[in-house]
Amino acid sequence: MLSVLSYGRLVARAVIGGLSQTDGRDYSLVTASCGFGKDFRKGILKKGMCYGDDACFIARHRTADVLDGVGGWRDYGVDPSQFSGTLMKTCERLVKEGRFVPSNPVGVLTSSYYELLQNKVPLLGSSTACIVILDRQSHRLHTANLGDSGFLLVRGGEVVHRSDEQQHYFNTPFQLSIAPPGAEGAVLSDSPDAADSSSFDVQLGDIILTATDGLFDNMPDYMILQELKKLKNTNYESIQQTARSIAEQAHVLAYDPNYMSPFAQFACDNGLNVRGGKPDDITVLLSIVAEYTD
């Protein structure tokens, strides 16, 4: 997820509660996460649930479960955790405070980003973003994706919905940015409103995989689906094991110089002679739609 001068990502999911009007049951997500940093600290979390420069959190609220994952910059010597981590924490706080509308995930992203812009001390960096909200009352999923993180919705062993990757040009995703002084014109910065939005119904047993580009650049859909076949039930241990299996395979492929990865194929399609995986931080959040229980 490299741009001309910046690098970052944000993945978030909010799950909103209510009483189902269709079958009388609440839906919720049973979720586990796993990831790997480029520095080979396999599956080990730093402070704040970080995988390399990626990070994620899983938060509980009376009406919401929230998952969030982010990354940051290196190019200007900026601590990559500052911008993306603060954006992540701001999204988390807004959801916990109930300051969002389930059908408007872009609103969560917009409010968080503009809080960062209003900081007295500029907070430099950038992030892409993918926010997914499950409305328990209507059983509908509302999504917003900015950049090249994203999600897959899998039902019956097939991908039935997925986010659309947004790129300005090869290897330059849409992103939210705050540029260093004097570099404003050289750093891409998109509006939260540029995020691609969609809404659709979900069913019990649906699988939702949300991840940073470190996964999607190294594993095509068919490989991900093969791993998801190992998911036998909705208990946390099974989901965690499958999330780890997916992240581990992507991590191994990222360092295979002979593997024709999705990233390498995309590079070839853009006239570049590239082969191999793409070493990167990897964050995987794996969820199953289940009946809500206290």
Side-chain angles (χ1 to χ4, degrees), residues 23 64 72 97 118 122-123 150 158 191 212 215 238 246 260 271 278:
D23 61 9
E97 294 172 354
Q118 293 168 6
L123 191 62
E158 297 182 353
S191 166
T212 54
L215 174 70
S238 178
I246 292 171
M260 183 54 75
K278 182 190 177 188

Side-chain angles (χ1 to χ4, degrees), residues 143-245:
T143 74
N145 186 65
L146 183 78
D148 58 0
S149 293
F151 72 91
L152 301 177
L153 178 68
V154 178
R155 179 183 301 152
E158 297 182 353
V159 176
V160 295
H161 293 285
R162 71 171 301 144
S163 55
D164 292 325
E165 184 174 305
Q166 293 180 310
Q167 297 269 1
H168 288 284
Y169 42 87
F170 173 67
N171 208 24
T172 308
F174 284 33
Q175 59 203 275
L176 305 176
S177 300
I178 299 179
E184 290 83 358
V187 175
L188 290 173
S189 183
D190 297 287
S191 166
D193 292 333
D196 181 67
S197 300
S198 63
S199 297
F200 45 84
D201 294 332
V202 296
Q203 301 176 10
L204 292 175
D206 282 353
I207 299 171
I208 302 170
L209 182 145
T210 310
T212 54
D213 62 318
L215 174 70
F216 298 119
D217 281 344
N218 288 296
M219 287 185 71
D221 286 359
Y222 81 88
M223 285 189 181
I224 295 174
L225 292 175
Q226 287 176 349
E227 292 299 313
L228 291 178
K229 290 179 181 178
K230 301 175 182 178
L231 190 56
K232 301 302 182 183
N233 52 60
T234 61
N235 67 59
Y236 174 81
E237 290 73 19
S238 178
I239 297 170
Q240 179 66 69
Q241 184 177 2
T242 304
R244 173 169 288 276
S245 178

Side-chain angles (χ1 to χ4, degrees), residues 19-140:
L19 180 63
S20 170
Q21 297 176 337
T22 56
D23 61 9
R25 292 178 291 181
D26 263 352
Y27 285 5
S28 65
L29 297 182
V30 183
T31 303
S33 68
C34 187
F36 296 84
K38 284 184 290 187
D39 56 5
F40 295 93
R41 283 176 286 184
K42 297 184 177 181
I44 297 176
L45 291 170
K46 297 185 291 183
K47 183 178 180 181
M49 294 184 71
C50 299
Y51 302 108
D53 290 345
D54 282 357
C56 64
F57 70 79
I58 301 172
R60 302 292 180 184
H61 179 263
R62 178 177 55 83
T63 60
D65 298 337
V66 183
L67 314 179
D68 204 336
V70 302
W73 282 12
R74 290 288 183 188
D75 301 319
Y76 280 94
V78 175
D79 180 350
S81 68
Q82 291 298 310
F83 178 89
S84 52
T86 303
L87 183 63
M88 174 185 66
K89 292 175 182 177
T90 305
C91 287
E92 178 185 17
R93 175 174 53 79
L94 292 176
V95 172
K96 285 184 174 181
E97 294 172 354
R99 295 167 55 189
F100 65 101
V101 178
S103 60
N104 183 25
V106 173
V108 180
L109 185 62
T110 300
S111 297
S112 300
Y113 178 56
Y114 283 108
E115 280 200 23
L116 266 63
L117 289 175
Q118 293 168 6
N119 284 344
K120 293 182 179 180
V121 178
L123 191 62
L124 309 180
S126 71
S127 278
T128 63
C130 180
I131 298 179
V132 181
I133 300 177
L134 172 62
D135 189 322
R136 291 180 184 162
Q137 185 173 25
S138 65
H139 299 171
R140 284 183 68 78

